[in-house]
Amino acid sequence: MTTSTEAEAEAEAQAEALPVVVIGAGPIGLAAAARLIDRGIEPLVLEAGPAAASAVREWSHVRLFSTWSEVVDPAAEKLLAPTGWARPEGAACPTGGDWAAQYLQPLADALGDRVRYGARVTGVSRAGRDRVVDADREAQPFTVHILCTDGGEERILARAVIDASGTWATPNPLGSDGLPALGERAAADRISYRVPDLADPAVRARYAGRRTAVVGTGASAFTALALLADLAEDAPGTHTAWILRRGIGGDTFGGGSADQLPARGALGLRAKAAVEAGRATAATGFRTTAVEREGDRLVLVAEDGRRLDPVDEVIVLTGFRPDLSFVSELRLALDERLQAPVALAPLIDPNVHSCGTVYPHGVNELSHPERDVHLVGMKSYGRAPTFLALTGYEQVRSIAAALAGDREAAERVELVLPETGVCGGAGTLDQAEVAQVAEGGCCATPTPAALQIVTGTPASANGGC
């Protein structure tokens, strides 16, 4: 006769034989897999796209603020070492394309069959238990449903789930109330939610000589304003209407030369220069509620009744939000504002924190009532835009340690941001200027030359640091 203790031990052994499913083969998902392998735990990475870092590849023209030394995970570097891979120059700042081609795809290749492409996760739950059922819940493995590119469906059992699917696929809408503006969906052919790649002739032709509305006040909006201002020099008739939901104040353009992220400060200065040169006009306190057609053009309508002069295109850069639909059967504790884990939310509140002031955190802040499920990376930040790759690497290091039963390591903070933090990032600065800025340190005031605004260089990542 098998005792209850023996049955529990057998069930536990069976559970431990299952893989830890990692959702998303982006930078944090792949780092999670490397950390799990380092702990002797078998991962299975499910990627909806056809290659690693599918989301990153969509902003391949954008340059990160962070240097190579800040975007490579140590466990991943260890895994790559036997392949002969060497980290690129640490002081250089990669573009999204560089990051994907020179690091993320090689890492996925090193993981081999542990990464499955064309596997879109459509639901996660406990086997045989919806979110209502308590009985014997934690003894059940997770069940992960996937949709394959051929239309087939599968169910995979897992001992734990790490959701690193990010937020790239779910940008915030144009509507100022968090909902799509009336007519926004119908005007989808004229609305973009990404920083345009104006080096692409087809994309350039879409905006050259035309009037474009740019909505947003973050780094991505500054980048779009600067790039369109550059385009206006070569294509007469190019003009930008900058839509701000609030007024213009002393901090609208960022910290300028006093910004702890000089590249971010430079972006703000370029946006300011575009406005002052007349290449962009600002509409302040404009909260969009509707998009109307006027012939071949669009008219944005504000909640106070104001109507913007007709535009040919609209670029909406108002941040991102997490897709929680496929984890709705899990018992998650999420902050009601940010949609981030409740213990993490106060640490990342964008009203208080910037990228460099977010305290390193791990399994304690990322745990939920549902044991052994964790949202990591950009997804863990919910609607907060202050995420750093280094912070995500620390998250998955801690979680892998916890899943291995090493609670001491899981609760130990191992991340120490370098003295220059992410200040050496590229943004709109060229590499020589980046090096000059980095020499000043994070809180130093750069020299005027270091903040000289240049044209034609890749811009900062969409909403990130």
Side-chain angles (χ1 to χ4, degrees):
M1 177 180 292
T2 301
T3 66
S4 60
T5 302
E6 291 173 338
E8 290 171 1
E10 182 179 352
E12 185 175 342
Q14 290 176 346
E16 290 184 356
L18 296 172
V20 172
V21 163
V22 178
I23 305 174
I28 309 307
L30 294 174
R35 291 288 182 175
L36 291 167
I37 290 172
D38 197 45
R39 286 284 183 171
I41 300 172
E42 191 65 17
L44 175 61
V45 182
L46 302 176
E47 168 58 43
S54 294
V56 174
R57 294 174 194 272
E58 291 191 25
W59 48 270
S60 60
H61 61 292
V62 171
R63 191 177 295 280
L64 285 81
F65 285 141
S66 302
T67 65
W68 272 113
S69 63
E70 296 159 349
V71 296
V72 174
D73 177 71
E77 191 167 9
K78 176 182 175 182
L79 186 66
L80 281 164
T83 71
W85 183 87
R87 186 175 68 191
E89 167 56 39
C93 301
T95 63
D98 296 335
W99 204 17
Q102 298 179 42
Y103 167 59
L104 297 172
Q105 189 61 58
L107 176 55
D109 293 342
L111 289 166
D113 292 341
R114 296 182 176 99
V115 181
R116 281 190 59 180
Y117 302 112
R120 180 176 299 279
V121 174
T122 59
V124 183
S125 187
R126 289 281 187 178
R129 307 288 188 276
D130 63 23
R131 66 181 295 157
V132 176
V133 179
D134 291 332
D136 204 28
R137 185 177 187 85
E138 290 194 354
Q140 308 307 313
F142 291 96
T143 178
V144 181
H145 288 217
I146 64 172
L147 177 65
C148 304
T149 51
D150 62 3
E153 296 181 272
E154 293 183 32
R155 186 181 76 154
I156 297 171
L157 297 180
R159 60 172 286 195
V161 175
I162 298 175
D163 183 357
S165 59
T167 59
W168 178 253
T170 47
N172 288 330
L174 172 60
S176 60
D177 52 10
L179 303 174
L182 299 179
E184 182 173 348
R185 294 185 180 92
D189 61 322
R190 296 296 183 90
I191 300 177
S192 171
Y193 302 85
R194 308 287 188 250
V195 172
D197 180 5
L198 298 184
D200 182 325
V203 176
R204 189 179 184 87
R206 177 174 177 175
Y207 298 100
R210 311 186 85 185
R211 179 175 165 84
T212 300
V214 173
V215 185
T217 54
S220 297
F222 291 163
T223 298
L225 288 170
L227 293 178
L228 290 170
D230 291 345
L231 180 59
E233 293 185 3
D234 300 325
T238 302
H239 189 78
T240 304
W242 182 25
I243 311 302
L244 300 86
R245 292 173 178 169
R246 291 174 288 184
I248 293 181
D251 61 350
T252 297
F253 296 98
S257 61
D259 200 312
Q260 291 184 343
L261 293 171
R264 183 177 62 191
L267 275 177
L269 292 177
R270 284 192 70 187
K272 185 177 182 181
V275 174
E276 292 177 344
R279 295 194 177 98
T281 54
T284 60
F286 196 101
R287 299 179 179 275
T288 307
T289 59
V291 182
E292 297 179 359
R293 290 273 187 179
E294 188 172 293
D296 292 334
R297 310 183 88 190
L298 302 178
V299 174
L300 304 188
V301 182
E303 64 180 5
D304 60 7
R306 281 183 292 162
R307 300 169 63 86
L308 191 71
D309 289 340
V311 298
D312 299 288
E313 302 284 344
V314 180
I315 301 175
V316 182
L317 299 169
T318 54
F320 297 84
R321 60 182 60 179
D323 178 5
L324 301 170
S325 61
F326 61 86
V327 290
S328 61
E329 289 304 312
L330 298 174
R331 296 176 176 181
L332 304 179
L334 299 175
D335 179 73
E336 68 275 7
R337 293 181 304 148
L338 297 183
Q339 295 179 300
V342 290
L344 176 61
L347 305 180
I348 61 173
D349 185 344
N351 294 302
V352 178
H353 295 283
S354 67
C355 306
T357 64
V358 173
Y359 187 78
H361 52 274
V363 69
N364 287 339
E365 293 82 5
L366 297 170
S367 292
H368 296 276
E370 195 80 72
R371 193 182 71 181
D372 292 340
V373 60
H374 302 284
L375 311 184
V376 300
M378 274 298 303
K379 187 149 187 183
S380 72
Y381 273 44
R383 300 194 183 199
T386 50
F387 178 73
L388 286 175
L390 280 174
T391 304
Y393 296 155
E394 173 67 3
Q395 289 180 341
V396 296
R397 180 207 63 79
S398 173
I399 289 168
L403 290 174
D406 188 348
R407 200 71 195 183
E408 187 276 329
E411 296 180 356
R412 183 175 64 238
V413 175
E414 293 190 0
L415 172 63
V416 178
L417 291 173
E419 183 180 349
T420 54
V422 292
C423 296
T428 52
L429 303 180
D430 63 25
Q431 293 297 331
E433 289 170 321
V434 167
Q436 191 173 0
V437 171
E439 290 175 1
C442 187
C443 299
T445 300
T447 64
L451 275 172
Q452 198 168 27
I453 298 171
V454 297
T455 60
T457 56
S460 68
N462 224 17
C465 298

